[in-house]
Amino acid sequence: MMSAGPGSIGKDDAREVNDSARVSVGAYGALLIVGALVVLVYVKIASQIIFPFNVDSAVYIGLARNLLNGNGYVHTSFSYDKELAPHDAFPPGFPILIAGVSSLGMDGSEAALWLARISWVLVPAATAWCLAPLMGWGVAALCGILTLISPGAVLWGYPAMSDIPFFVLVLVSLGCLFRSMAVGTERTYLALSGFLAGVGYSLRTVGIAVFA
C-alpha cells in the first residue's frame, strides 16, 4: 500500500472506511422503529406529569409566529406596553423551521414539539450513521440505542427545544465527513457535511465548534 502523507488517508484505508459504513436501509429502519417506540412510550408517560414547554420554547414559538405574520424576527418585549422588539439571543434556524411547519396548518406549539420529538426518534439512526465508519455497524447501532435513552436525550427530546434537532444535524454532518475520506465520494459527502453543519449552526450558536 502506498504511504499517505500526514493528515491524509491511503486508498486501501479509505475503502475500508467506506465498506464499514455500508449498511442496508432495513437496518437503519429498525433503529427508527426502536426510536419511535421509545419516544412514544416516554411521551405517553411524561405528558401526564411534565409540561413540555418552557421560557425558551415560548420565545421560539413567538418568533415563528411573528415570522409568519410578516413582522420579522421579533419577539414580544417584557415591557409594560408589550411592544415587538428585535431578537438577538437565539439564531433563526429553529423559529424558521417552526414557521415552515406551521405554514402547513399546524399550530406553532405543536410544530415545535413535533420537530423536537421527530429528531429524538432519529437519534439512534443518526448516531449509527455517524459512528459506523469508525467502529462498525454493530457497535455503532448499540451506541445509537444507548444515546436514545441517555439522560441528555430524554431531557431535551421531550420539550419543544432546538437541542436534539441540532444534535441530529451534527451527527449526520460528521457521518458525511467521515465518509468523505472514501475514494470517489470526497466532494459529495464533504459538501453535504458542510451544508448540514451550517444548518446546525443556524439552530444553535454552539454549532460554530463543528467548523473548528
Side-chain angles (χ1 to χ4, degrees), residues 1-210:
M1 183 180 71
M2 295 180 62
S3 60
S8 62
I9 184 169
K11 290 185 177 181
D12 291 342
D13 293 333
R15 291 193 184 96
E16 290 177 5
V17 169
N18 196 34
D19 291 340
S20 67
R22 290 173 182 165
V23 182
S24 68
V25 173
Y28 283 104
L31 287 179
L32 289 177
I33 292 173
V34 171
L37 289 174
V38 169
V39 172
L40 283 173
V41 170
Y42 182 84
V43 169
K44 180 68 173 179
I45 297 172
S47 61
Q48 306 299 319
I49 55 176
I50 303 175
F51 190 61
F53 301 100
N54 55 33
V55 174
D56 288 352
S57 302
V59 173
Y60 284 130
I61 295 166
L63 289 168
R65 287 173 176 165
N66 282 320
L67 285 172
L68 279 176
N69 293 332
N71 296 324
Y73 196 61
V74 294
H75 70 283
T76 303
S77 68
F78 295 101
S79 62
Y80 178 78
D81 53 12
K82 303 295 183 182
E83 291 182 347
L84 294 178
H87 187 78
D88 58 3
F90 297 150
F94 197 50
I96 289 174
L97 287 177
I98 296 172
V101 176
S102 298
S103 67
L104 302 176
M106 184 179 293
D107 182 72
S109 58
E110 290 296 320
L113 284 176
W114 273 100
L115 287 168
R117 292 172 182 177
I118 289 175
S119 298
W120 189 11
V121 170
L122 295 174
V123 162
T127 303
W129 166 264
C130 177
L131 298 179
L134 305 179
M135 57 182 60
W137 165 254
V139 177
L142 177 60
C143 290
I145 294 173
L146 292 176
T147 304
L148 171 72
I149 59 177
S150 66
V154 173
L155 178 64
W156 297 113
Y158 175 72
M161 294 292 291
S162 63
D163 300 72
I164 301 302
F166 165 75
F167 181 50
V168 169
L169 285 168
V170 170
L171 287 172
V172 178
S173 172
L174 291 175
C176 292
L177 180 64
F178 298 145
R179 284 164 177 78
S180 71
M181 296 185 290
V183 175
T185 62
E186 300 95 333
R187 293 181 180 178
T188 301
Y189 277 118
L190 193 59
L192 186 57
S193 175
F195 172 76
L196 292 172
V199 175
Y201 177 55
S202 77
L203 266 65
R204 297 191 66 84
T205 52
V206 70
I208 193 65
V210 179

